[in-house]
Amino acid sequence: MCGVVALVVLLGSLLGSECAPEADEIKFLPGLQKQANFKQYSGYLTVNDGKHLHYWFVASQSQPSQDPVVLWLNGGPGCSSLDGLLTEHGPFLIQDDGMSLEYNPYSWNMIANVLYLESPAGVGFSWSDDRRYATNDTEVSLNNYLALKEFFRLFPEFSQNELFLTGESYGGIYIPTLAERVMEDSTLNLQGVAVGNGMASYEMNDNSLVYFAYYHGLLGSALWAELQAFCCPEGKCDFYNDQNQNCSDALSEVQYIVYSSGLNMYNLYAPCPGGVRQKVSIDADGLVISFLGNNFINHPSIKLWKQKLRGVSSFYQKVRLDPPCTNSTPSTLYLNNPYVRSALHISSDALDWVICSSEVNLSYGRVYMDMKKQYLKLLGSLKYRVLVYNGDVDMACNFMGDEWFVESLQQEVEVKRRTWTYKDGPSEQVGGFVKEFSNLAFLTVKGSGHMVPSDKPAAAFAMFTRFIKKQPY
């Protein structure tokens, strides 16, 4: 039955399920008052060295046989893409009780088949035969590529559909490095990549964050004067790798204000779930450093904290570490419910689900310090649509650093920076700003933090629609 893929496509099967692995189909999903009217699957994609990556695939609610396949990866490194499904742009969103799901009117699977992949092994329900979860950028990009190949082997009826690679945060590394492999494979119908609030350049992200913090009223004139005096010799500021001790001391104050004073680093203007911490402990600071997981990575105090944390292996393997100012309790309760695990066909070898794996994160090898080579390779082919988008009140991967990065690619400007709008109820609203180049766009989402589809679902859906339908923003 799976051998006649062309015939299946020609007949235009309503839900594109003739070739899909029947054992992976989700027949009944706990928490829904009414079961989904679209197909969905959950299972494992086995890649190198006995690594089993968990996937959850939701077919399009429109025309699955024709709509694009969109891969989604959350970041960390070490955080689960099921967070994207259950709290950002999946077809149903977890409720505060940790038991019930509500349908999402702005789900990205309204117009696309979306594949949520928990990567690398050790994240979420993904696991490895040898239980060793140290990895790095290069190995992850290879295994994500192999997982994609395995997905299309299991679902050949989607193999000719347009393919888009999308992700968030450390997905800014995952997605371009994966795209570099995918674009070399003519059997994959890659059309474009989109990265939200992504890490594109450590140096630009760190340098821009200090300006972001000052101009958003966080630092004050006295600290700013110190930063200018000690970190900006001859008028050129280096907040990334300056070796001046006075500069390091001033940057430690910036680090404390941004990450440890009680502000929500993922959305400056949102409250912090759980409130302001009264005492900053090693687990809190270690968490900020690792799951943030990039800023001031070369700063001496950060290196010291990471060394301390790695030395306490029993600590980070046993303690659940949530990203600061996030509440993953509902998702954690839901996904560890034995009935849910059974519905999702979760292996008995999988660990309990947590939003981010401290073991993966703290042993992760960061190979790339910027993504310029990968973006230029994509853009040089002149056939892929590339979108870099940022919520403009995120401090983890701030919009200014990504805008600097996009400008550094020196692409030809086609549409000067302008507002973009979207429909919100009966009215048209400003969604943010956009600047368009030949095959590249940089777009901000006004009033959104790090998780754009959570903060601004209608705006995010409008942006996503225009991206995959190749419409002007």
Side-chain angles (χ1 to χ4, degrees):
M1 186 158 49
C2 287
V4 199
V5 175
L7 180 59
V8 171
V9 174
L10 181 64
L11 294 175
S13 64
L14 289 177
L15 293 174
S17 62
E18 279 78 356
C19 301
E22 187 176 347
D24 287 359
E25 184 176 354
I26 300 171
K27 303 287 189 181
F28 177 88
L29 188 63
L32 288 173
Q33 286 192 347
K34 182 182 179 182
Q35 291 299 302
N37 62 0
F38 53 86
K39 293 281 190 179
Q40 53 178 326
Y41 300 82
S42 170
Y44 286 90
L45 305 172
T46 298
V47 295
N48 271 348
D49 300 325
K51 293 179 171 62
H52 311 278
L53 303 186
H54 174 247
Y55 78 93
W56 189 338
F57 176 63
V58 290
S60 171
Q61 298 185 48
S62 180
Q63 296 179 292
S65 63
Q66 300 174 36
D67 290 339
V69 172
V70 175
L71 171 72
W72 174 263
L73 295 172
N74 278 88
C79 295
S80 168
S81 297
L82 298 194
D83 187 51
L85 191 157
L86 290 176
T87 71
E88 297 190 65
H89 46 60
F92 14 73
L93 303 176
I94 188 68
Q95 301 302 292
D96 289 341
D97 61 9
M99 297 170 59
S100 53
L101 302 171
E102 294 291 337
Y103 282 97
N104 177 10
Y106 301 107
S107 172
W108 286 8
N109 91 315
M110 291 287 186
I111 56 172
N113 305 288
V114 187
L115 172 63
Y116 296 89
L117 181 67
E118 293 197 286
S119 171
V123 172
F125 292 131
S126 297
W127 59 285
S128 175
D129 290 342
D130 61 12
R131 302 299 193 273
R132 294 179 182 175
Y133 298 119
T135 188
N136 59 59
D137 292 333
T138 304
E139 184 178 44
V140 168
S141 71
L142 174 60
N143 284 329
N144 287 342
Y145 166 72
L146 294 175
L148 261 185
K149 295 289 285 183
E150 177 65 4
F151 171 80
F152 286 117
R153 186 187 72 79
L154 294 175
F155 294 83
E157 66 274 29
F158 291 105
S159 62
Q160 299 305 307
N161 295 44
E162 292 185 334
L163 172 65
F164 291 89
L165 308 177
T166 65
E168 175 182 279
S169 193
Y170 202 79
I173 306 292
Y174 290 158
I175 294 299
T177 53
L178 172 60
E180 192 175 20
R181 296 181 186 275
V182 172
M183 66 183 290
E184 300 295 336
D185 187 338
S186 61
T187 69
L188 298 173
N189 188 15
L190 181 64
Q191 295 294 307
V193 303
V195 173
N197 289 80
M199 176 52 61
S201 162
Y202 287 94
E203 182 172 358
M204 292 180 187
N205 192 54
D206 288 3
N207 278 327
S208 60
L209 178 63
V210 181
Y211 289 101
F212 179 101
Y214 176 61
Y215 288 113
H216 280 81
L218 306 187
L219 304 187
S221 57
L223 178 53
W224 182 246
E226 289 183 27
L227 290 162
Q228 293 290 297
F230 300 130
C231 306
C232 306
E234 301 177 3
K236 182 174 175 57
C237 297
D238 182 4
F239 303 124
Y240 173 68
N241 203 22
D242 192 298
Q243 301 302 310
N244 181 302
Q245 185 58 49
N246 290 322
C247 175
S248 294
D249 292 343
L251 286 173
S252 292
E253 287 191 55
V254 175
Q255 175 198 330
Y256 174 79
I257 292 166
V258 172
Y259 303 143
S260 302
S261 65
L263 295 172
N264 186 334
M265 76 171 73
Y266 295 116
N267 186 327
L268 174 58
Y269 297 141
C272 183
V276 178
R277 294 187 302 270
Q278 296 303 309
K279 181 180 179 183
V280 178
S281 59
I282 185 171
D283 55 330
D285 269 358
L287 177 61
V288 167
I289 293 162
S290 59
F291 288 133
L292 165 232
N294 310 295
N295 304 80
F296 301 115
I297 196 166
N298 286 332
H299 194 271
S301 64
I302 298 298
K303 290 179 177 177
L304 179 60
W305 275 116
K306 295 201 81 166
Q307 288 167 5
K308 287 181 180 179
L309 277 171
R310 287 197 182 99
V312 194
S313 59
S314 61
F315 166 79
Y316 72 74
Q317 287 175 355
K318 293 178 183 176
V319 177
R320 183 180 122 192
L321 298 180
D322 281 13
C325 293
T326 62
N327 177 16
S328 70
T329 299
S331 297
T332 304
L333 287 172
Y334 180 77
L335 291 168
N336 287 316
N337 181 312
Y339 295 104
V340 174
R341 286 176 66 115
S342 176
L344 298 178
H345 319 116
I346 301 306
S347 170
S348 59
D349 290 300
L351 299 173
D352 287 347
W353 189 90
V354 293
I355 186 172
C356 297
S357 166
S358 53
E359 183 176 2
V360 169
N361 181 276
L362 291 171
S363 60
Y364 191 90
R366 300 166 192 259
V367 177
Y368 301 101
M369 292 295 105
D370 74 67
M371 287 286 102
K372 192 167 186 176
K373 169 179 167 285
Q374 287 77 11
Y375 273 91
L376 288 176
K377 188 172 180 179
L378 277 167
L379 294 168
S381 69
L382 303 177
K383 62 180 180 178
Y384 303 115
R385 185 168 170 86
V386 179
L387 171 63
V388 175
Y389 66 93
N390 286 71
D392 63 9
V393 291
D394 173 33
M395 297 191 291
C397 296
N398 72 88
F399 81 92
M400 193 183 303
D402 279 343
E403 187 164 14
W404 289 359
F405 174 78
V406 168
E407 295 287 353
S408 77
L409 300 176
Q410 298 183 316
Q411 300 298 294
E412 184 178 349
V413 178
E414 290 197 343
V415 181
K416 292 182 179 179
R417 200 174 195 271
R418 59 172 176 83
T419 58
W420 67 276
T421 62
Y422 69 101
K423 197 83 167 174
D424 188 13
S427 60
E428 198 80 13
Q429 297 292 333
V430 172
F433 292 84
V434 64
K435 184 174 183 178
E436 296 183 62
F437 305 83
S438 299
N439 291 295
L440 167 69
F442 174 75
L443 181 147
T444 64
V445 182
K446 180 175 69 70
S448 175
H450 194 65
M451 284 70 81
V452 171
S454 296
D455 291 343
K456 297 290 180 181
F461 183 73
M463 171 197 73
F464 174 71
T465 301
R466 294 168 199 175
F467 167 64
I468 68 165
K469 291 185 179 294
K470 302 175 185 174
Q471 298 169 343
Y473 295 101

